Amino acid sequence: MMSKATSFDIAFRAGVSQSTVSRALRNSPLVNEETRLKVQAIAHELNYKVDKNASSLRTQQSDTIALLLFEDPTNDDSLINPFFLSMLGSITRACAQKGYDLLVSFQQLSDDWHADFEDSKKADGLILLGYGDFVDYQDTLTKLSEQHTHFVRWGADVADEKIVSVGCDNLHGGYQMTEHLIKKGRKNVAFLGDASTHAPEFLERYNGYCNALTDHKLSVLSELQVDAISIEESGYQAACQLIEKNLSFDAIFGASDLIAIGAMRALQEHGIKVPEQVAVVGFDDIAVASYTIPALTTAKQDTTLAGEVLVDNLIALIHGENPTTTLMPTKLMVRNSCGS
Amino acid sequence: MMSKATSFDIAFRAGVSQSTVSRALRNSPLVNEETRLKVQAIAHELNYKVDKNASSLRTQQSDTIALLLFEDPTNDDSLINPFFLSMLGSITRACAQKGYDLLVSFQQLSDDWHADFEDSKKADGLILLGYGDFVDYQDTLTKLSEQHTHFVRWGADVADEKIVSVGCDNLHGGYQMTEHLIKKGRKNVAFLGDASTHAPEFLERYNGYCNALTDHKLSVLSELQVDAISIEESGYQAACQLIEKNLSFDAIFGASDLIAIGAMRALQEHGIKVPEQVAVVGFDDIAVASYTIPALTTAKQDTTLAGEVLVDNLIALIHGENPTTTLMPTKLMVRNSCGS
DNA sequence: CTGAAAGCGCTTACAG
DNA sequence: CTGAAAGCGCTTACAG
């Protein structure tokens, strides 16, 4: 077994210089059609592939994007939020389509971020995706920004011009879901999910919820908001609290599908019928949402589009352009968890 | 803004040669403690990161693994099998723990594989993960093997010594699930899933199913096996076929959880009670399996362990060792879909 | 259209 | 323990 072919081997066989080989393989217009074809044929024959380390070193670009998925360290290892997993899928595809490779890395928010993919020249830019306490997270964003790292993030707008975000219109989405419940005749809608600056996306959804209640002349009852993070167990716990406090409510708005699904489980275990006694809506439209019984009415975040926009914006940044923060609409997916 | 620091900048500031800087940063024992500390302090101060392109080019290794996730091209873009997604999670973690970066790429089986990560020196080896028609797939495996590419794959053993696989004991898992149904008093167990060489893992599960039936003096009825691929809709369709043919059955073994979940939906839509009239089991133990109502009894494939073994075996291969194909046990997860 | 040459930023054998 | 030098395999300005 011989070692891998280099451009010199091809040059030798083709009877041209190595520079010409390099040009031919990159389809440079500077090279004669015939020469190019001959070189490419030989390259193919030898199963030659350009050494990316050498070419990246020379050109100072890697054509690679790094995806940093960070999670709340309290989470179980195996419990990756399916919403982000689906985002990962669409980002992978979007990268492939644009000719970029994708490095994936899971971060624990507690650690120092392993965010040096760009510094080490392994990637031309970063996509940040995740959940967890936003307050901790913001410092890191600022630091990255100061180091002139190219990055875009998924999430609520952070009111910093230098930081490019892509996110859903959580305020309107929250409004939309709450209004749907109200139109179904529900008057006492509980909100399950954190509603603080630590979780800005949930907070926006909560604000939308409050606006919808107010617009429909319903009062916002603080005891109907129970904190929960985006895992099923947490939604379950929050709903149990609600039930055990003997509060009166006829609908639950889970700040994410996982929360809503946990809440449904709690309701069912307590013999409370969904949707007859309590209607439930979620947020995200993860795949599971259509498999639950009843199937969950929710606000769809278009992960395919989101992945594309994240990648497009990052590539624009890398090219020195100035993409702006993007807000995407959510879509009401009506299923069976609110009655017919 | 000045350009990125190189090892020469550090050498200049530290008053040593660039070679010494390189040694100091790699913690070479050849360098004086004091010198090393000084160099490292300056590196830190300048936020210096070793250029991976340069070092990989020089050392001829990238400390990167590429994960190729291939899918059946008939699948909807957004429908990535959650089982593989969870595997992806554990592989990511296992890589990080071993000091490898991870490149992720989705392949369409129809295309030529973009499997040149190793040839282009972007990765030291490949992990293959996926589903789809195995017959098409096998040619590619052989080709990779002939090119001396370092790779390991998830799946049933392929009886080729040169190809290292990691997979679950599908034969025993299939036996286990079927026996569980039989012990619950079920006599007419249907199997939903392909049972051909095109889907070797399903085939093994089917063989386990047949063995269990035979061992318990039940006959294998070919009309109770209906083809299905691992998506919910396909399981739904298969169960509908079964129902509409008016066949008598009191249990369904879905070759994967997604199939089983689709089957449960079909049963429920036809007013057939699970588990009272028909018990259902799946295979995989994806997260959704515990959220369905009733929660799905299934065979757990330990994705965390699987990810670690895949990564360990691949690293062994890269180091020139000879890891062997590994068969992992499945675990019966009893939930509510088979009655109490 | 083509070739000779410089240089990307490291690592490491060699010499001291 | 340290330094000068070679070389990993490309890309591209420069000269023709």
PDB file of all heavy atoms in Angstrom, chain B residues 25-59:
ATOM      1  N   LEU B  25       4.299  24.679  24.705  1.00  0.00           N
ATOM      2  CA  LEU B  25       2.845  24.616  24.627  1.00  0.00           C
ATOM      3  C   LEU B  25       2.329  23.188  24.571  1.00  0.00           C
ATOM      4  O   LEU B  25       1.195  22.917  24.942  1.00  0.00           O
ATOM      5  CB  LEU B  25       2.353  25.388  23.406  1.00  0.00           C
ATOM      6  CG  LEU B  25       2.595  26.905  23.482  1.00  0.00           C
ATOM      7  CD1 LEU B  25       2.203  27.573  22.181  1.00  0.00           C
ATOM      8  CD2 LEU B  25       1.835  27.514  24.656  1.00  0.00           C
ATOM      9  N   ARG B  26       3.182  22.281  24.110  1.00  0.00           N
ATOM     10  CA  ARG B  26       2.749  20.894  24.063  1.00  0.00           C
ATOM     11  C   ARG B  26       3.225  20.148  25.305  1.00  0.00           C
ATOM     12  O   ARG B  26       3.216  18.923  25.351  1.00  0.00           O
ATOM     13  CB  ARG B  26       3.293  20.216  22.806  1.00  0.00           C
ATOM     14  CG  ARG B  26       3.172  21.083  21.573  1.00  0.00           C
ATOM     15  CD  ARG B  26       3.544  20.330  20.329  1.00  0.00           C
ATOM     16  NE  ARG B  26       2.386  19.670  19.795  1.00  0.00           N
ATOM     17  CZ  ARG B  26       2.285  18.376  19.503  1.00  0.00           C
ATOM     18  NH1 ARG B  26       3.311  17.588  19.689  1.00  0.00           N
ATOM     19  NH2 ARG B  26       1.184  17.883  19.023  1.00  0.00           N
ATOM     20  N   ASN B  27       3.641  20.883  26.288  1.00  0.00           N
ATOM     21  CA  ASN B  27       4.089  20.296  27.548  1.00  0.00           C
ATOM     22  C   ASN B  27       5.190  19.263  27.365  1.00  0.00           C
ATOM     23  O   ASN B  27       5.190  18.224  28.022  1.00  0.00           O
ATOM     24  CB  ASN B  27       2.897  19.663  28.289  1.00  0.00           C
ATOM     25  CG  ASN B  27       1.973  20.728  28.835  1.00  0.00           C
ATOM     26  OD1 ASN B  27       2.429  21.690  29.448  1.00  0.00           O
ATOM     27  ND2 ASN B  27       0.686  20.578  28.583  1.00  0.00           N
ATOM     28  N   SER B  28       6.105  19.557  26.468  1.00  0.00           N
ATOM     29  CA  SER B  28       7.213  18.635  26.265  1.00  0.00           C
ATOM     30  C   SER B  28       8.094  18.607  27.514  1.00  0.00           C
ATOM     31  O   SER B  28       8.374  19.642  28.116  1.00  0.00           O
ATOM     32  CB  SER B  28       8.037  19.095  25.065  1.00  0.00           C
ATOM     33  OG  SER B  28       9.320  18.532  25.119  1.00  0.00           O
ATOM     34  N   PRO B  29       8.544  17.439  27.909  1.00  0.00           N
ATOM     35  CA  PRO B  29       9.418  17.341  29.083  1.00  0.00           C
ATOM     36  C   PRO B  29      10.812  17.909  28.776  1.00  0.00           C
ATOM     37  O   PRO B  29      11.611  18.127  29.678  1.00  0.00           O
ATOM     38  CB  PRO B  29       9.502  15.835  29.335  1.00  0.00           C
ATOM     39  CG  PRO B  29       9.196  15.206  28.021  1.00  0.00           C
ATOM     40  CD  PRO B  29       8.276  16.134  27.298  1.00  0.00           C
ATOM     41  N   LEU B  30      11.048  18.163  27.525  1.00  0.00           N
ATOM     42  CA  LEU B  30      12.353  18.680  27.129  1.00  0.00           C
ATOM     43  C   LEU B  30      12.550  20.134  27.515  1.00  0.00           C
ATOM     44  O   LEU B  30      13.627  20.673  27.370  1.00  0.00           O
ATOM     45  CB  LEU B  30      12.524  18.557  25.610  1.00  0.00           C
ATOM     46  CG  LEU B  30      12.739  17.156  25.061  1.00  0.00           C
ATOM     47  CD1 LEU B  30      12.791  17.190  23.545  1.00  0.00           C
ATOM     48  CD2 LEU B  30      14.032  16.577  25.637  1.00  0.00           C
ATOM     49  N   VAL B  31      11.475  20.782  27.936  1.00  0.00           N
ATOM     50  CA  VAL B  31      11.614  22.216  28.181  1.00  0.00           C
ATOM     51  C   VAL B  31      11.603  22.544  29.677  1.00  0.00           C
ATOM     52  O   VAL B  31      10.886  21.927  30.467  1.00  0.00           O
ATOM     53  CB  VAL B  31      10.522  22.990  27.398  1.00  0.00           C
ATOM     54  CG1 VAL B  31       9.163  22.731  27.995  1.00  0.00           C
ATOM     55  CG2 VAL B  31      10.814  24.453  27.345  1.00  0.00           C
ATOM     56  N   ASN B  32      12.432  23.443  30.021  1.00  0.00           N
ATOM     57  CA  ASN B  32      12.586  23.914  31.397  1.00  0.00           C
ATOM     58  C   ASN B  32      11.251  24.419  31.963  1.00  0.00           C
ATOM     59  O   ASN B  32      10.537  25.163  31.309  1.00  0.00           O
ATOM     60  CB  ASN B  32      13.621  25.050  31.357  1.00  0.00           C
ATOM     61  CG  ASN B  32      13.885  25.631  32.726  1.00  0.00           C
ATOM     62  OD1 ASN B  32      13.196  25.304  33.694  1.00  0.00           O
ATOM     63  ND2 ASN B  32      14.887  26.478  32.801  1.00  0.00           N
ATOM     64  N   GLU B  33      10.973  24.005  33.163  1.00  0.00           N
ATOM     65  CA  GLU B  33       9.735  24.381  33.856  1.00  0.00           C
ATOM     66  C   GLU B  33       9.457  25.875  33.770  1.00  0.00           C
ATOM     67  O   GLU B  33       8.375  26.318  33.389  1.00  0.00           O
ATOM     68  CB  GLU B  33       9.846  23.944  35.324  1.00  0.00           C
ATOM     69  CG  GLU B  33       8.788  24.490  36.249  1.00  0.00           C
ATOM     70  CD  GLU B  33       7.573  23.574  36.341  1.00  0.00           C
ATOM     71  OE1 GLU B  33       7.650  22.443  35.840  1.00  0.00           O
ATOM     72  OE2 GLU B  33       6.549  24.015  36.893  1.00  0.00           O
ATOM     73  N   GLU B  34      10.484  26.627  34.124  1.00  0.00           N
ATOM     74  CA  GLU B  34      10.347  28.088  34.182  1.00  0.00           C
ATOM     75  C   GLU B  34      10.019  28.661  32.795  1.00  0.00           C
ATOM     76  O   GLU B  34       9.119  29.480  32.626  1.00  0.00           O
ATOM     77  CB  GLU B  34      11.663  28.680  34.694  1.00  0.00           C
ATOM     78  CG  GLU B  34      11.546  30.064  35.276  1.00  0.00           C
ATOM     79  CD  GLU B  34      12.939  30.583  35.667  1.00  0.00           C
ATOM     80  OE1 GLU B  34      13.826  29.722  35.929  1.00  0.00           O
ATOM     81  OE2 GLU B  34      13.129  31.806  35.688  1.00  0.00           O
ATOM     82  N   THR B  35      10.760  28.192  31.810  1.00  0.00           N
ATOM     83  CA  THR B  35      10.523  28.627  30.437  1.00  0.00           C
ATOM     84  C   THR B  35       9.095  28.287  30.022  1.00  0.00           C
ATOM     85  O   THR B  35       8.391  29.106  29.445  1.00  0.00           O
ATOM     86  CB  THR B  35      11.491  27.905  29.474  1.00  0.00           C
ATOM     87  OG1 THR B  35      12.784  27.871  30.063  1.00  0.00           O
ATOM     88  CG2 THR B  35      11.524  28.603  28.138  1.00  0.00           C
ATOM     89  N   ARG B  36       8.718  27.088  30.323  1.00  0.00           N
ATOM     90  CA  ARG B  36       7.389  26.628  29.937  1.00  0.00           C
ATOM     91  C   ARG B  36       6.306  27.539  30.516  1.00  0.00           C
ATOM     92  O   ARG B  36       5.421  28.010  29.807  1.00  0.00           O
ATOM     93  CB  ARG B  36       7.167  25.190  30.415  1.00  0.00           C
ATOM     94  CG  ARG B  36       5.815  24.617  30.024  1.00  0.00           C
ATOM     95  CD  ARG B  36       5.756  23.116  30.234  1.00  0.00           C
ATOM     96  NE  ARG B  36       6.037  22.724  31.607  1.00  0.00           N
ATOM     97  CZ  ARG B  36       5.173  22.838  32.614  1.00  0.00           C
ATOM     98  NH1 ARG B  36       3.969  23.309  32.400  1.00  0.00           N
ATOM     99  NH2 ARG B  36       5.513  22.475  33.840  1.00  0.00           N
ATOM    100  N   LEU B  37       6.420  27.801  31.801  1.00  0.00           N
ATOM    101  CA  LEU B  37       5.437  28.655  32.454  1.00  0.00           C
ATOM    102  C   LEU B  37       5.380  30.032  31.809  1.00  0.00           C
ATOM    103  O   LEU B  37       4.299  30.588  31.575  1.00  0.00           O
ATOM    104  CB  LEU B  37       5.781  28.780  33.950  1.00  0.00           C
ATOM    105  CG  LEU B  37       4.973  27.909  34.921  1.00  0.00           C
ATOM    106  CD1 LEU B  37       4.422  26.635  34.283  1.00  0.00           C
ATOM    107  CD2 LEU B  37       5.781  27.584  36.166  1.00  0.00           C
ATOM    108  N   LYS B  38       6.570  30.576  31.535  1.00  0.00           N
ATOM    109  CA  LYS B  38       6.595  31.908  30.942  1.00  0.00           C
ATOM    110  C   LYS B  38       5.901  31.911  29.585  1.00  0.00           C
ATOM    111  O   LYS B  38       5.060  32.757  29.286  1.00  0.00           O
ATOM    112  CB  LYS B  38       8.052  32.376  30.787  1.00  0.00           C
ATOM    113  CG  LYS B  38       8.170  33.889  30.608  1.00  0.00           C
ATOM    114  CD  LYS B  38       9.372  34.293  29.793  1.00  0.00           C
ATOM    115  CE  LYS B  38      10.671  34.060  30.572  1.00  0.00           C
ATOM    116  NZ  LYS B  38      11.856  34.448  29.764  1.00  0.00           N
ATOM    117  N   VAL B  39       6.267  30.928  28.793  1.00  0.00           N
ATOM    118  CA  VAL B  39       5.674  30.828  27.451  1.00  0.00           C
ATOM    119  C   VAL B  39       4.156  30.668  27.535  1.00  0.00           C
ATOM    120  O   VAL B  39       3.400  31.354  26.843  1.00  0.00           O
ATOM    121  CB  VAL B  39       6.282  29.637  26.683  1.00  0.00           C
ATOM    122  CG1 VAL B  39       5.468  29.322  25.437  1.00  0.00           C
ATOM    123  CG2 VAL B  39       7.729  29.937  26.323  1.00  0.00           C
ATOM    124  N   GLN B  40       3.724  29.799  28.420  1.00  0.00           N
ATOM    125  CA  GLN B  40       2.289  29.554  28.517  1.00  0.00           C
ATOM    126  C   GLN B  40       1.540  30.790  29.000  1.00  0.00           C
ATOM    127  O   GLN B  40       0.428  31.073  28.543  1.00  0.00           O
ATOM    128  CB  GLN B  40       2.012  28.352  29.424  1.00  0.00           C
ATOM    129  CG  GLN B  40       2.435  27.041  28.744  1.00  0.00           C
ATOM    130  CD  GLN B  40       2.217  25.817  29.598  1.00  0.00           C
ATOM    131  OE1 GLN B  40       2.047  25.921  30.816  1.00  0.00           O
ATOM    132  NE2 GLN B  40       2.244  24.647  28.968  1.00  0.00           N
ATOM    133  N   ALA B  41       2.161  31.513  29.881  1.00  0.00           N
ATOM    134  CA  ALA B  41       1.523  32.737  30.368  1.00  0.00           C
ATOM    135  C   ALA B  41       1.348  33.734  29.232  1.00  0.00           C
ATOM    136  O   ALA B  41       0.279  34.331  29.071  1.00  0.00           O
ATOM    137  CB  ALA B  41       2.372  33.350  31.491  1.00  0.00           C
ATOM    138  N   ILE B  42       2.390  33.893  28.442  1.00  0.00           N
ATOM    139  CA  ILE B  42       2.297  34.834  27.323  1.00  0.00           C
ATOM    140  C   ILE B  42       1.254  34.368  26.303  1.00  0.00           C
ATOM    141  O   ILE B  42       0.468  35.157  25.791  1.00  0.00           O
ATOM    142  CB  ILE B  42       3.675  35.006  26.659  1.00  0.00           C
ATOM    143  CG1 ILE B  42       4.638  35.681  27.651  1.00  0.00           C
ATOM    144  CG2 ILE B  42       3.571  35.838  25.388  1.00  0.00           C
ATOM    145  CD1 ILE B  42       6.077  35.715  27.185  1.00  0.00           C
ATOM    146  N   ALA B  43       1.251  33.064  26.050  1.00  0.00           N
ATOM    147  CA  ALA B  43       0.268  32.515  25.105  1.00  0.00           C
ATOM    148  C   ALA B  43      -1.140  32.833  25.573  1.00  0.00           C
ATOM    149  O   ALA B  43      -1.992  33.271  24.800  1.00  0.00           O
ATOM    150  CB  ALA B  43       0.453  31.011  24.971  1.00  0.00           C
ATOM    151  N   HIS B  44      -1.360  32.629  26.847  1.00  0.00           N
ATOM    152  CA  HIS B  44      -2.672  32.887  27.404  1.00  0.00           C
ATOM    153  C   HIS B  44      -3.040  34.358  27.271  1.00  0.00           C
ATOM    154  O   HIS B  44      -4.147  34.712  26.864  1.00  0.00           O
ATOM    155  CB  HIS B  44      -2.694  32.467  28.876  1.00  0.00           C
ATOM    156  CG  HIS B  44      -4.046  32.588  29.493  1.00  0.00           C
ATOM    157  ND1 HIS B  44      -5.052  31.676  29.265  1.00  0.00           N
ATOM    158  CD2 HIS B  44      -4.590  33.551  30.291  1.00  0.00           C
ATOM    159  CE1 HIS B  44      -6.142  32.059  29.913  1.00  0.00           C
ATOM    160  NE2 HIS B  44      -5.885  33.186  30.539  1.00  0.00           N
ATOM    161  N   GLU B  45      -2.070  35.168  27.599  1.00  0.00           N
ATOM    162  CA  GLU B  45      -2.272  36.625  27.553  1.00  0.00           C
ATOM    163  C   GLU B  45      -2.650  37.088  26.140  1.00  0.00           C
ATOM    164  O   GLU B  45      -3.523  37.937  25.951  1.00  0.00           O
ATOM    165  CB  GLU B  45      -0.962  37.286  27.993  1.00  0.00           C
ATOM    166  CG  GLU B  45      -1.030  38.757  28.265  1.00  0.00           C
ATOM    167  CD  GLU B  45       0.386  39.281  28.484  1.00  0.00           C
ATOM    168  OE1 GLU B  45       1.209  38.534  29.094  1.00  0.00           O
ATOM    169  OE2 GLU B  45       0.683  40.386  28.026  1.00  0.00           O
ATOM    170  N   LEU B  46      -2.000  36.513  25.148  1.00  0.00           N
ATOM    171  CA  LEU B  46      -2.282  36.910  23.768  1.00  0.00           C
ATOM    172  C   LEU B  46      -3.482  36.156  23.197  1.00  0.00           C
ATOM    173  O   LEU B  46      -3.820  36.316  22.027  1.00  0.00           O
ATOM    174  CB  LEU B  46      -1.065  36.636  22.880  1.00  0.00           C
ATOM    175  CG  LEU B  46       0.207  37.411  23.182  1.00  0.00           C
ATOM    176  CD1 LEU B  46       1.282  37.057  22.169  1.00  0.00           C
ATOM    177  CD2 LEU B  46      -0.071  38.913  23.153  1.00  0.00           C
ATOM    178  N   ASN B  47      -4.100  35.341  24.028  1.00  0.00           N
ATOM    179  CA  ASN B  47      -5.217  34.511  23.572  1.00  0.00           C
ATOM    180  C   ASN B  47      -4.802  33.663  22.366  1.00  0.00           C
ATOM    181  O   ASN B  47      -5.550  33.481  21.411  1.00  0.00           O
ATOM    182  CB  ASN B  47      -6.427  35.384  23.233  1.00  0.00           C
ATOM    183  CG  ASN B  47      -7.686  34.555  23.130  1.00  0.00           C
ATOM    184  OD1 ASN B  47      -7.825  33.546  23.828  1.00  0.00           O
ATOM    185  ND2 ASN B  47      -8.582  34.954  22.255  1.00  0.00           N
ATOM    186  N   TYR B  48      -3.601  33.167  22.460  1.00  0.00           N
ATOM    187  CA  TYR B  48      -3.062  32.369  21.374  1.00  0.00           C
ATOM    188  C   TYR B  48      -3.669  30.973  21.343  1.00  0.00           C
ATOM    189  O   TYR B  48      -3.858  30.358  22.384  1.00  0.00           O
ATOM    190  CB  TYR B  48      -1.542  32.251  21.539  1.00  0.00           C
ATOM    191  CG  TYR B  48      -0.920  31.231  20.611  1.00  0.00           C
ATOM    192  CD1 TYR B  48      -0.621  31.566  19.295  1.00  0.00           C
ATOM    193  CD2 TYR B  48      -0.649  29.941  21.054  1.00  0.00           C
ATOM    194  CE1 TYR B  48      -0.060  30.627  18.445  1.00  0.00           C
ATOM    195  CE2 TYR B  48      -0.088  29.000  20.209  1.00  0.00           C
ATOM    196  CZ  TYR B  48       0.200  29.346  18.904  1.00  0.00           C
ATOM    197  OH  TYR B  48       0.742  28.424  18.066  1.00  0.00           O
ATOM    198  N   LYS B  49      -4.001  30.509  20.149  1.00  0.00           N
ATOM    199  CA  LYS B  49      -4.448  29.131  19.970  1.00  0.00           C
ATOM    200  C   LYS B  49      -3.629  28.515  18.845  1.00  0.00           C
ATOM    201  O   LYS B  49      -3.431  29.144  17.798  1.00  0.00           O
ATOM    202  CB  LYS B  49      -5.925  29.077  19.581  1.00  0.00           C
ATOM    203  CG  LYS B  49      -6.885  29.603  20.632  1.00  0.00           C
ATOM    204  CD  LYS B  49      -6.994  28.647  21.812  1.00  0.00           C
ATOM    205  CE  LYS B  49      -7.916  29.151  22.920  1.00  0.00           C
ATOM    206  NZ  LYS B  49      -7.836  30.580  23.212  1.00  0.00           N
ATOM    207  N   VAL B  50      -3.171  27.312  19.052  1.00  0.00           N
ATOM    208  CA  VAL B  50      -2.406  26.633  18.011  1.00  0.00           C
ATOM    209  C   VAL B  50      -3.242  26.527  16.738  1.00  0.00           C
ATOM    210  O   VAL B  50      -4.416  26.186  16.796  1.00  0.00           O
ATOM    211  CB  VAL B  50      -1.997  25.221  18.475  1.00  0.00           C
ATOM    212  CG1 VAL B  50      -1.395  24.423  17.324  1.00  0.00           C
ATOM    213  CG2 VAL B  50      -1.023  25.307  19.628  1.00  0.00           C
ATOM    214  N   ASP B  51      -2.653  26.831  15.634  1.00  0.00           N
ATOM    215  CA  ASP B  51      -3.348  26.700  14.355  1.00  0.00           C
ATOM    216  C   ASP B  51      -3.446  25.216  14.005  1.00  0.00           C
ATOM    217  O   ASP B  51      -2.444  24.553  13.763  1.00  0.00           O
ATOM    218  CB  ASP B  51      -2.570  27.457  13.275  1.00  0.00           C
ATOM    219  CG  ASP B  51      -3.287  27.458  11.946  1.00  0.00           C
ATOM    220  OD1 ASP B  51      -3.777  26.389  11.533  1.00  0.00           O
ATOM    221  OD2 ASP B  51      -3.359  28.520  11.316  1.00  0.00           O
ATOM    222  N   LYS B  52      -4.681  24.732  14.001  1.00  0.00           N
ATOM    223  CA  LYS B  52      -4.896  23.302  13.787  1.00  0.00           C
ATOM    224  C   LYS B  52      -4.552  22.872  12.371  1.00  0.00           C
ATOM    225  O   LYS B  52      -4.199  21.716  12.134  1.00  0.00           O
ATOM    226  CB  LYS B  52      -6.364  22.957  14.050  1.00  0.00           C
ATOM    227  CG  LYS B  52      -6.679  22.829  15.508  1.00  0.00           C
ATOM    228  CD  LYS B  52      -6.032  21.568  16.046  1.00  0.00           C
ATOM    229  CE  LYS B  52      -6.535  21.241  17.442  1.00  0.00           C
ATOM    230  NZ  LYS B  52      -5.967  19.939  17.860  1.00  0.00           N
ATOM    231  N   ASN B  53      -4.703  23.782  11.425  1.00  0.00           N
ATOM    232  CA  ASN B  53      -4.375  23.412  10.060  1.00  0.00           C
ATOM    233  C   ASN B  53      -2.892  23.159   9.927  1.00  0.00           C
ATOM    234  O   ASN B  53      -2.457  22.183   9.326  1.00  0.00           O
ATOM    235  CB  ASN B  53      -4.818  24.507   9.078  1.00  0.00           C
ATOM    236  CG  ASN B  53      -6.325  24.652   9.034  1.00  0.00           C
ATOM    237  OD1 ASN B  53      -6.856  25.745   9.137  1.00  0.00           O
ATOM    238  ND2 ASN B  53      -7.015  23.546   8.905  1.00  0.00           N
ATOM    239  N   ALA B  54      -2.133  24.040  10.520  1.00  0.00           N
ATOM    240  CA  ALA B  54      -0.683  23.887  10.462  1.00  0.00           C
ATOM    241  C   ALA B  54      -0.248  22.634  11.217  1.00  0.00           C
ATOM    242  O   ALA B  54       0.556  21.837  10.727  1.00  0.00           O
ATOM    243  CB  ALA B  54       0.006  25.115  11.042  1.00  0.00           C
ATOM    244  N   SER B  55      -0.795  22.448  12.409  1.00  0.00           N
ATOM    245  CA  SER B  55      -0.315  21.319  13.191  1.00  0.00           C
ATOM    246  C   SER B  55      -0.803  19.999  12.598  1.00  0.00           C
ATOM    247  O   SER B  55      -0.078  19.010  12.581  1.00  0.00           O
ATOM    248  CB  SER B  55      -0.672  21.476  14.670  1.00  0.00           C
ATOM    249  OG  SER B  55      -1.946  21.004  14.940  1.00  0.00           O
ATOM    250  N   SER B  56      -2.025  19.992  12.082  1.00  0.00           N
ATOM    251  CA  SER B  56      -2.509  18.758  11.458  1.00  0.00           C
ATOM    252  C   SER B  56      -1.709  18.439  10.195  1.00  0.00           C
ATOM    253  O   SER B  56      -1.431  17.280   9.904  1.00  0.00           O
ATOM    254  CB  SER B  56      -3.988  18.869  11.091  1.00  0.00           C
ATOM    255  OG  SER B  56      -4.780  19.005  12.245  1.00  0.00           O
ATOM    256  N   LEU B  57      -1.376  19.474   9.463  1.00  0.00           N
ATOM    257  CA  LEU B  57      -0.599  19.261   8.242  1.00  0.00           C
ATOM    258  C   LEU B  57       0.754  18.645   8.594  1.00  0.00           C
ATOM    259  O   LEU B  57       1.231  17.708   7.968  1.00  0.00           O
ATOM    260  CB  LEU B  57      -0.393  20.594   7.525  1.00  0.00           C
ATOM    261  CG  LEU B  57       0.522  20.576   6.303  1.00  0.00           C
ATOM    262  CD1 LEU B  57      -0.010  19.625   5.236  1.00  0.00           C
ATOM    263  CD2 LEU B  57       0.659  21.986   5.730  1.00  0.00           C
ATOM    264  N   ARG B  58       1.317  19.186   9.632  1.00  0.00           N
ATOM    265  CA  ARG B  58       2.631  18.716  10.047  1.00  0.00           C
ATOM    266  C   ARG B  58       2.587  17.300  10.633  1.00  0.00           C
ATOM    267  O   ARG B  58       3.380  16.437  10.288  1.00  0.00           O
ATOM    268  CB  ARG B  58       3.173  19.722  11.073  1.00  0.00           C
ATOM    269  CG  ARG B  58       4.566  19.471  11.580  1.00  0.00           C
ATOM    270  CD  ARG B  58       5.571  19.339  10.472  1.00  0.00           C
ATOM    271  NE  ARG B  58       6.304  18.111  10.667  1.00  0.00           N
ATOM    272  CZ  ARG B  58       7.594  18.002  10.891  1.00  0.00           C
ATOM    273  NH1 ARG B  58       8.360  19.073  10.860  1.00  0.00           N
ATOM    274  NH2 ARG B  58       8.144  16.845  11.119  1.00  0.00           N
ATOM    275  N   THR B  59       1.646  17.071  11.527  1.00  0.00           N
ATOM    276  CA  THR B  59       1.608  15.775  12.212  1.00  0.00           C
ATOM    277  C   THR B  59       0.852  14.709  11.432  1.00  0.00           C
ATOM    278  O   THR B  59       0.883  13.542  11.794  1.00  0.00           O
ATOM    279  CB  THR B  59       0.931  15.896  13.593  1.00  0.00           C
ATOM    280  OG1 THR B  59      -0.403  16.364  13.400  1.00  0.00           O
ATOM    281  CG2 THR B  59       1.664  16.864  14.486  1.00  0.00           C
TER     282      THR B  59
END
